[in-house]
Amino acid sequence: MKKKITLIGAGQIGGTLAHLISIKELGDVVLFDVAEGIAKGKALDIAQSTSVDGFNINLIGTSNYEDTKNSDVIIVTAGVSRKPGMTRDDLLGTNLKIIKQVAEGIKKTSPKAFVICITNPLDVIVMALQKYSGFTTNKVIGMAGILDTSRFKYFLSQELKVPAKDINSIVLGGHGDTMVPMPNHTMVKGKPLKKLINKEKLDLIIDRTRKGGAEIIKYLEKGSAFYAPAASGVEIAESYIKNLKKTLPCAAYLNGEYGVKNLYAGVPVVIGNNGVEKVIELPLDENEKNNFNLSIKAVKELFDTATKIDPDLKK
Ligand code: APR
């Protein structure tokens, strides 16, 4: 049985997701957007590449939730993206309203779906999506850590002149300026990173990773990053659909793990056909713990702001 994958939001990331999912033949794609023409146009455009690229899936574009009915996976990118000079947190008010509409749409039509959220500010929006939809916490996850980690690995690979694939690493915490790249948990071809790079260069790379999204926005002027975010979202969807049980850094619901309760934040999780199957607790040293807690504090504060915008979130 082919899987049905719905993409809510057919903008820059949504369109790229549709293309990657098609090329990987992960399932039939429904592109949903309030701007119906964008969804229909992109679906048709990608569908017309099937004869060239030879993939066997169907794509449709729609603005009607009925067409998304009984989806196996839903990836949400609906919302506005940052403009130069904006932080992810500046998007909160607008994207919270959009996510409420999305949650209402998907809970009626696809109550069994595994939902991957990409809309920013990620940690708070994914938590709002879980609360508004009422889906179980193992079925709602946020994509950010894979992207942040891939940026960290890419910058390290350029500095150390090794393929990014040879670097094993992780970025924890919230998807914002307080994210926590973990040099002590980074290995390059089996060697600890700290033996290969001096502190000065490492600090610069950590800072560039934290500002990785803003660097791209500055170049693009209109819109934000979309290729690497889409590739990262697809990795989660693939691990779920194929039950690969990959350990991936994602924004997941914490229920006591890492000393955090009732909050979404970036941690390594195992993704299989039950959704989030396990949160992996890495041992953190004092410094890493402090940085992680600072990041958690920032996510909590933003969630408090969200509950002031919409008191329904307190429920
Ligand atoms: N329902 C469905 N789609 C919506 C809704 C809604 N209620 N509101 C807006 N959209 C659609 C827009 O019409 C647009 O096509 O969401 C799409 C967003 O696309 P882009 O503006 O191109 O944004 P994109 O770069 O894809 O980023 C989307 O992901 O990484 C985050 O910060 C980013 O929050 C942003 C989101």
Side-chain angles (χ1 to χ4, degrees):
M1 262 291 275
K2 269 202 272 181
K3 297 291 178 193
K4 180 170 179 177
I5 305 172
T6 286
L7 309 173
I8 309 280
Q12 297 278 58
I13 303 178
T16 312
L17 282 167
H19 198 203
L20 288 175
I21 289 167
S22 302
I23 289 169
K24 285 178 165 257
E25 293 187 312
L26 290 184
D28 288 336
V29 174
V30 180
L31 263 169
F32 176 101
D33 203 294
V34 283
E36 190 182 21
I38 292 179
K40 283 194 185 301
K42 289 193 182 181
L44 189 58
D45 189 9
I46 296 169
Q48 287 168 356
S49 72
T50 49
S51 65
V52 183
D53 282 333
F55 49 81
N56 176 29
I57 63 143
N58 293 312
L59 295 114
I60 60 159
T62 185
S63 59
N64 183 349
Y65 274 103
E66 274 304 302
D67 294 327
T68 72
K69 205 169 177 167
N70 297 327
S71 297
D72 299 287
V73 176
I74 295 177
I75 310 182
V76 180
T77 62
V80 289
S81 60
R82 284 193 282 170
K83 297 187 176 58
M86 282 172 96
T87 68
R88 294 183 181 91
D89 297 0
D90 295 333
L91 308 173
L92 182 63
T94 309
N95 285 352
L96 213 48
K97 278 192 209 129
I98 291 173
I99 283 305
K100 198 168 192 176
Q101 287 173 9
V102 171
E104 273 153 23
I106 64 176
K107 81 176 173 193
K108 281 192 207 126
T109 41
S110 298
K112 293 191 178 146
F114 178 57
V115 183
I116 303 164
C117 179
I118 301 186
T119 302
N120 276 314
L122 195 267
D123 308 271
V124 171
I125 292 291
V126 67
M127 182 137 158
L129 183 55
Q130 188 275 322
K131 284 188 180 278
Y132 288 144
S133 65
F135 286 14
T136 53
T137 52
N138 64 313
K139 294 304 258 322
V140 182
I141 195 165
M143 186 300 294
I146 300 173
L147 172 63
D148 297 330
T149 305
S150 74
R151 286 178 174 153
F152 187 47
K153 287 197 222 174
Y154 172 72
F155 297 143
L156 287 172
S157 78
Q158 295 298 292
E159 175 61 35
L160 301 172
K161 307 205 173 18
V162 297
K165 281 255 172 224
D166 287 352
I167 303 177
N168 225 312
S169 185
I170 189 152
V171 176
L172 298 185
H175 184 49
D177 298 344
T178 60
M179 70 179 73
V180 192
M182 304 278 283
N184 289 345
H185 289 262
T186 304
M187 302 293 278
V188 182
K189 290 189 181 176
K191 283 196 192 129
L193 170 67
K194 287 214 156 161
K195 294 204 164 152
L196 304 171
I197 193 166
N198 66 38
K199 184 173 177 319
E200 208 172 50
K201 281 190 176 148
L202 178 60
D203 285 348
L204 282 175
I205 287 177
I206 288 177
D207 188 56
R208 192 172 175 201
T209 302
R210 289 199 172 118
K211 296 175 184 154
E215 183 177 355
I216 290 172
I217 290 170
K218 216 169 148 200
Y219 282 125
L220 294 180
E221 291 178 15
K222 279 185 195 145
S224 50
F226 52 100
Y227 291 113
S232 305
V234 169
E235 190 176 26
I236 303 176
E238 187 170 30
S239 192
Y240 173 77
I241 289 169
K242 298 185 178 168
N243 196 20
L244 299 178
K245 302 201 190 291
K246 279 190 178 179
T247 298
L248 301 169
C250 296
Y253 182 79
L254 296 176
N255 188 21
E257 298 90 349
Y258 291 89
V260 180
K261 234 179 149 59
N262 196 21
L263 198 77
Y264 270 82
V267 291
V269 289
V270 176
I271 307 283
N273 60 8
N274 288 314
V276 179
E277 299 190 348
K278 197 175 176 197
V279 173
I280 307 290
E281 288 202 71
L282 297 174
L284 305 185
D285 67 23
E286 216 44 45
N287 186 37
E288 289 164 345
K289 232 182 251 169
N290 288 340
N291 288 337
F292 183 76
N293 289 339
L294 273 180
S295 190
I296 293 296
K297 190 168 164 258
V299 175
K300 266 192 191 142
E301 282 171 5
L302 194 66
F303 189 72
D304 284 346
T305 309
T307 60
K308 284 180 193 128
I309 297 171
D310 185 0
D312 275 0
L313 285 171
K314 276 192 193 146
K315 287 177 200 159

